[in-house]
């Protein structure tokens, strides 16, 4: 068991999958000679060469399309988009093509691509580098969307995504790349479906994904000191949603807080509340509460930025409210 | 090319024309729904270019005017017609329709309705050919209107930079839906636009299949040799509207008459007659045989085929069944692997 940073875990998954299958390639801006903006592909250009670690021009829609076309002919491209904001440029090839090709060909063609991209608010990067957009991808049939919260999932889900025959979007987070965690020395594949109970509790379920799981875990510590037992549920996959695990947790705690870094409108929390209403409405003892980003473009100024995104205290306050302690 | 091959080419073009016109009739009878974009008038381009390719071996991709390209690649005509009818026996099992014909078994990788989207997909297919070290190439057929999309510029840049084995075939039919080329493109001769990306290019008559084949042979040889992409432009004209809902009000009758006089089937029939390869009677007999084949084989198959089952609505969205090694389920406390 080795402790490593999130970016190192991603790099290791690339390395193993590139070594395992000559059809695996990586492509993206600055991923080769420059080693990747977050070092997730560092050293791989030297090891695997320019034909497999492909530095692309700044042409997100078309290099994504090239990855898609290559995947239709048997390749396994791992496409890096430097920021999820830039993924908007690739929506045509991603959503109009990759997500629909298996279906509209009647299952005769498929697009086994992986798209990795950090989505989240980091350090004063302002409106055009701080979008989350998870809610947009999770609404698209034909895609899988996963949100690894730690190095183990970042490593094991990327490996599974490369092997899987569906297009998979992996949403990472700029504030998680240096986060450390344990990853086994032996090869591990982590499933692309299934929520995970990260911490057991009995009074309230705190639901998060990606970076917001860490807000929930810190909030659970604080709540514990206040005598509130919080269960923390990591969604792990935003598409498809693991309805069973959500239902079981809500039936146990009867109270729910959803922490999302996205804006609330037509969002992850809205979807989760719908799932709860459909699955186990009568198990609820209180109205679910969403902790979410402010409904504005993310501002540059440090205090405005802090006010725009949810933090641990917001989750604690929401949890106290649903358990009737506010 | 020997005379039996030339007769076959004429028969193919007559077949493709009749296929399109028969689907027009079925559309009017409401047996075909949605959008239907017909290829009538442009037959020499797809037929001629793909005659020079290794069909079933090279990858081919195009836009939504895709029936003829698919059939020339080897997709069975009865399956293409069944797809237009939305039947489960169709090329795309009734899920795609006219604009999304797929037959990966002959490397026809689809028809796409987003104008310009096939550019990068074609370059990706070519990247795979190059990566695997095969002698395959990718051929991308698109209209002149597609060249105004960003994907044209982005893809031509990367295809040239990486020397990908991709042939871009521009079927210049002078209209981007209803907007004439001089009102939509600052550069009228489309082949000139490829030179901005150091891609060799040329422009040819797309109505004379002999001219098309000669140009395509050179272009394909260039691409297959490993010298990188090539961009070939064929001047052509669609005889019908952009789609079935289009009355062609934006084109002059004089212009239409001028191009009708250069119908690719007429040009080739006249040549074969002049050269003594075929007589008027031979051609009339050929037309009759094509009509009969389309009715008794192609249309009957489409009419008699079953619809997809409504309970299969969710099929083909993701791979089925999901592979538990990568998909899950997640077993609490268990370390996978």
């Amino acid at each position: 068991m080795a402790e490593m940073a999130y970016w190192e875990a991603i790099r290791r998954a690339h390395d193993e999958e590139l070594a395992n299958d000559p059809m695996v390639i990586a492509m993206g801006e600055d991923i080769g000679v420059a080693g990747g903006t977050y070092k997730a592909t560092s050293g791989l250009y030297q090891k695997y060469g320019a034909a497999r670690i492909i530095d692309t021009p700044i042409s997100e829609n078309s290099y994504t399309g090239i990855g898609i076309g290559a995947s239709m002919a048997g390749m396994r491209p791992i496409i890096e988009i430097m920021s999820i904001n830039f993924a908007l440029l690739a929506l045509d090839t991603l959503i109009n093509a990759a997500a629909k090709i298996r279906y509209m060909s009647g299952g005769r063609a498929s697009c086994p691509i992986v798209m990795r991209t950090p989505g989240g608010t980091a350090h004063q990067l302002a409106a055009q580098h701080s979008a989350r957009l998870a809610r947009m991808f999770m609404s698209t049939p034909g895609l899988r969307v996963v949100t690894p919260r730690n190095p183990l999932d970042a490593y094991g889900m990327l490996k599974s995504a490369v092997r899987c025959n569906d297009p998979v979007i992996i949403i990472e987070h700029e504030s998680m790349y240096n986060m450390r965690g344990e990853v086994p020395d032996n090869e591990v594949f982590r499933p692309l479906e299934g929520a995970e109970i990260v911490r057991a509790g009995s009074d309230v379920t705190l639901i998060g994904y990606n970076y917001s799981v860490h807000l929930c875990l810190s909030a659970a510590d604080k709540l514990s000191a206040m005598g509130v037992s919080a269960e923390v549920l990591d969604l792990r996959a935003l598409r498809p949603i693991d309805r069973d695990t959500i239902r079981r947790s809500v039936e146990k705690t009867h109270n729910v807080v959803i922490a999302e870094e996205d804006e609330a409108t037509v969002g992850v929390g809205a979807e989760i509340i719908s799932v709860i209403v459909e699955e186990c409405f009568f198990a609820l003892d209180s109205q679910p509460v969403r902790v979410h980003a402010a409904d504005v473009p993310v501002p540059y100024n440090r205090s405005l930025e802090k006010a725009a995104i949810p933090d641990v205290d917001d989750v604690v306050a929401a949890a106290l409210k649903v358990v009737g302690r506010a | 090319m020997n005379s039996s091959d030339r007769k076959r080419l004429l028969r193919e073009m007559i077949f493709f024309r009749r296929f399109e016109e028969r689907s027009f009739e079925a559309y009017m009878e409401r047996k075909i729904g949605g959008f239907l974009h017909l290829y009538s008038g442009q037959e020499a381009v797809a037929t001629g270019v793909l005659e020079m390719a290794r069909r079933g071996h090279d990858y081919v991709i195009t836009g939504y005017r895709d029936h003829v390209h698919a059939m020339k690649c080897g997709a069975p005509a009865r399956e293409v017609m069944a797809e237009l009818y939305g039947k489960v026996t169709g090329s795309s099992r009734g899920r795609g329709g006219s604009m999304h014909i797929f037959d990966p078994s002959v490397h026809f990788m689809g028809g796409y309705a987003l104008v310009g989207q096939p550019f990068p997909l074609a370059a990706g297919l070519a990247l795979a050919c190059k990566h695997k070290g095969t002698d395959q190439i990718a051929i991308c057929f698109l209209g002149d209107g597609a060249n105004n999309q960003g994907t044209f510029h982005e893809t031509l840049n990367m295809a040239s930079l990486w020397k990908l084995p991709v042939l871009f075939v521009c079927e210049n039919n002078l209209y981007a839906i209803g907007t004439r080329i001089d009102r939509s493109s600052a550069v009228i001769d489309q082949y000139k636009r490829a030179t901005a990306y150091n891609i060799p290019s040329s422009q040819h008559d797309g109505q004379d299949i002999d001219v098309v084949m000669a140009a395509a042979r050179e272009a394909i040889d260039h691409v297959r040799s490993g010298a990188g992409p090539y961009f070939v432009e064929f001047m052509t004209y669609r005889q019908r509207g952009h789609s079935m809902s289009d009355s062609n009000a934006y084109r002059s009758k004089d212009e239409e008459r001028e191009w009708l006089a250069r119908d690719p089937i007429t040009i080739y029939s006249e040549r074969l007659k002049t050269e003594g390869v075929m007589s008027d009677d031979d051609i009339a007999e050929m037309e009759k045989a094509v009509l009969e084949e389309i009715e008794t084989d192609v249309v009957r198959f489409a009419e008699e085929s079953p619809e997809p089952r409504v309970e299969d609505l969710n099929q083909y969205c993701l791979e089925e069944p999901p592979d538990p090694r990568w998909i899950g389920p997640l077993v609490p406390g268990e370390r996978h692997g």
Side-chain angles (χ1 to χ4, degrees):
Chain A
M1 190 78 75
E3 199 190 78
M4 61 177 70
Y6 194 96
W7 70 264
E8 290 174 305
I10 297 169
R11 188 196 170 282
R12 178 178 152 191
H14 273 94
D15 194 4
E16 289 179 7
E17 293 305 302
L18 284 155
N20 173 66
D21 180 356
M23 291 299 116
V24 175
I25 54 171
M27 52 198 302
E29 294 152 2
D30 276 3
I31 69 160
V33 173
T37 308
Y38 302 101
K39 298 189 284 187
T41 51
S42 56
L44 300 178
Y45 179 88
Q46 290 72 16
K47 186 168 177 182
Y48 295 100
R52 296 189 68 196
I53 309 295
I54 303 173
D55 279 314
T56 65
I58 302 172
S59 305
E60 287 86 359
N61 192 32
S62 293
Y63 79 69
T64 299
I66 288 175
I68 293 164
S71 78
M72 293 171 78
M75 308 275 297
R76 298 267 162 179
I78 306 170
I79 300 163
E80 178 176 303
I81 301 279
M82 197 183 281
S83 157
I84 203 165
N85 300 261
F86 312 158
L88 290 177
L89 287 153
L91 288 189
D92 176 51
T93 48
L94 182 68
I95 292 182
N96 280 324
K100 296 180 170 66
I101 282 173
R102 179 187 289 277
Y103 196 89
M104 69 185 189
S105 69
R108 300 185 79 187
S110 62
C111 302
I113 59 154
V114 180
M115 177 183 278
R116 300 177 33 247
T117 183
T121 303
H123 315 286
Q124 291 188 269
L125 301 181
Q128 293 190 327
H129 279 79
S130 302
R132 285 71 45 151
L133 302 175
R135 65 197 204 279
M136 191 175 64
F137 294 102
M138 73 186 283
S139 68
T140 302
L143 296 180
R144 291 183 173 279
V145 182
V146 298
T147 54
R149 76 167 186 281
N150 60 13
L152 174 63
D153 263 356
Y155 160 79
M157 290 176 110
L158 174 52
K159 285 177 66 72
S160 293
V162 171
R163 306 284 178 108
C164 168
N165 289 325
D166 302 315
V168 181
I169 314 299
I170 303 181
I171 301 179
E172 299 164 1
H173 195 292
E174 292 195 40
S175 298
M176 289 202 296
Y177 286 115
N178 289 316
M179 199 172 270
R180 301 186 71 81
E182 286 188 343
V183 180
D185 296 328
N186 59 308
E187 185 175 55
V188 169
F189 293 89
R190 295 281 289 168
L192 298 172
E193 289 187 12
E196 186 175 3
I197 303 297
V198 181
R199 171 181 173 137
S202 53
D203 297 332
V204 57
T205 300
L206 309 179
I207 299 179
Y209 60 93
N210 191 284
Y211 185 70
S212 75
V213 178
H214 299 284
L215 299 182
C216 294
L217 285 167
S218 300
D221 283 340
K222 290 193 171 189
L223 288 162
S224 172
M226 299 176 201
V228 176
S229 167
E231 176 149 303
V232 176
L233 185 153
D234 177 6
L235 290 168
R236 294 183 71 254
L238 296 182
R239 183 174 192 94
I241 293 275
D242 177 358
R243 302 171 73 98
D244 284 349
T245 301
I246 294 170
R247 178 182 47 75
R248 279 199 300 270
S249 182
V250 175
E251 284 173 350
K252 179 177 157 195
T253 66
H254 310 291
N255 297 296
V256 182
V257 170
I258 298 129
E260 56 184 319
E261 211 184 294
D262 274 58
E263 295 90 344
T265 307
V266 199
V268 181
E271 180 62 25
I272 299 304
I273 291 173
S274 298
V275 167
I276 292 167
V277 167
E278 288 163 357
E279 294 284 334
C280 53
F281 177 73
F282 293 105
L284 288 170
D285 282 348
S286 61
Q287 294 175 341
V289 171
R290 290 178 287 176
V291 176
H292 55 84
D295 216 6
V296 295
V298 177
Y300 165 71
N301 173 274
R302 189 188 294 265
S303 7
L304 290 179
E305 182 189 63
K306 188 172 178 307
I309 56 173
D311 60 19
V312 175
D313 291 338
D314 296 330
V315 181
V316 170
L320 292 174
K321 183 180 172 195
V322 296
V323 299
R325 293 265 304 267
Chain B
M1 184 168 272
N2 64 37
S3 55
S4 76
D5 278 335
R6 305 190 79 192
K7 286 182 197 169
R8 172 178 56 80
L9 280 182
L10 179 64
R11 190 185 197 279
E12 283 177 2
M13 287 201 288
I14 292 172
F15 185 94
F16 295 149
R17 174 72 56 85
R18 182 57 202 155
F19 182 99
E20 295 293 75
E21 295 304 313
R22 185 63 181 80
S23 65
F24 176 96
E25 291 162 22
Y27 189 92
M28 299 313 281
E29 295 166 19
R30 296 177 182 272
K31 289 177 174 167
I32 296 173
F35 287 130
L36 183 70
H37 306 82
L38 301 178
Y39 197 61
S40 299
Q42 301 183 203
E43 291 88 350
V45 180
T47 312
V49 170
L50 292 173
E51 180 66 21
M52 296 293 106
R54 296 193 200 158
R55 297 179 301 286
H57 183 68
D58 294 332
Y59 286 102
V60 176
I61 193 164
T62 187
Y64 41 76
R65 203 179 301 282
D66 57 354
H67 315 157
V68 170
H69 304 76
M71 289 188 284
K72 179 65 183 175
C73 283
R78 45 171 31 202
E79 292 181 15
V80 178
M81 187 61 87
E83 187 60 33
L84 306 189
Y85 273 66
K87 298 298 182 73
V88 76
T89 53
S91 307
S92 304
R93 314 308 183 222
R95 269 54 167 203
S98 164
M99 298 184 285
H100 309 302
I101 305 293
F102 279 80
D103 194 340
S105 73
V106 293
H107 288 181
F108 181 72
M109 304 311 285
Y112 297 84
L114 277 294
V115 175
Q117 192 180 66
F119 284 126
L121 303 186
L125 293 164
L127 182 93
C129 299
K130 181 170 176 161
H131 187 81
K132 294 178 193 172
T134 67
D135 65 351
Q136 294 162 290
I137 67 169
I139 304 177
C140 177
F141 289 88
L142 283 173
D144 47 293
N147 301 343
N148 296 319
Q149 286 282 22
T151 49
F152 169 86
H153 301 276
E154 294 181 353
T155 301
L156 264 63
N157 179 50
M158 284 183 272
S160 179
L161 185 66
W162 300 335
K163 293 236 175 314
L164 300 180
V166 53
L167 172 63
F168 300 106
V169 180
C170 176
E171 303 196 46
N172 186 347
N173 65 18
L174 305 176
Y175 289 86
I177 311 182
T179 302
R180 205 174 57 213
I181 191 160
D182 58 320
R183 299 181 59 241
S184 61
S185 179
V187 178
I188 303 297
D189 292 321
Q190 297 300 301
Y191 76 100
K192 291 179 182 170
R193 303 175 84 175
T195 61
Y197 300 101
N198 275 333
I199 294 178
S201 63
S202 52
Q203 184 188 58
H204 312 270
D205 177 14
Q207 301 306 88
D208 182 337
I209 194 168
D210 284 329
V211 173
V212 173
M213 287 192 292
R217 162 149 287 167
E218 254 184 64
I220 287 171
D221 284 350
H222 172 91
V223 173
R224 210 183 297 282
S225 76
Y230 192 95
F231 184 98
V232 63
E233 175 184 10
F234 292 108
M235 304 308 295
T236 186
Y237 201 74
R238 56 172 157 71
Q239 294 180 355
R240 293 198 173 275
H242 167 73
S243 69
M244 297 298 291
S245 55
D246 174 6
S247 63
N248 272 335
Y250 46 83
R251 307 198 301 202
S252 76
K253 293 297 151 205
D254 282 349
E255 180 184 287
E256 290 186 355
R257 267 193 295 275
E258 209 174 288
W259 279 94
L260 271 175
R262 300 210 67 250
D263 183 304
I265 295 173
T266 312
I267 290 175
Y268 203 50
S269 317
E270 290 304 320
R271 182 165 308 137
L272 296 194
K273 280 194 284 182
T274 310
E275 293 175 6
V277 178
M278 295 188 84
S279 67
D280 278 326
D281 287 348
D282 294 338
I283 292 170
E285 200 173 310
M286 184 180 269
E287 284 170 345
K288 200 174 145 219
V290 165
L291 270 175
E292 183 163 326
E293 183 184 338
I294 286 189
E295 288 310 314
T296 58
D297 181 41
V298 176
V299 173
R300 179 183 289 172
F301 178 78
E303 303 240 351
E304 292 176 357
S305 285
E307 303 265 338
R309 302 184 318 163
V310 172
E311 50 268 44
D312 292 335
L313 174 67
N314 294 323
Q315 207 180 1
Y316 307 132
C317 205
L318 295 173
E319 185 180 45
E320 289 164 24
D323 188 326
R325 290 174 297 173
W326 332 124
I327 305 305
L330 180 72
V331 179
E334 184 188 317
R335 291 257 187 239
H336 282 249

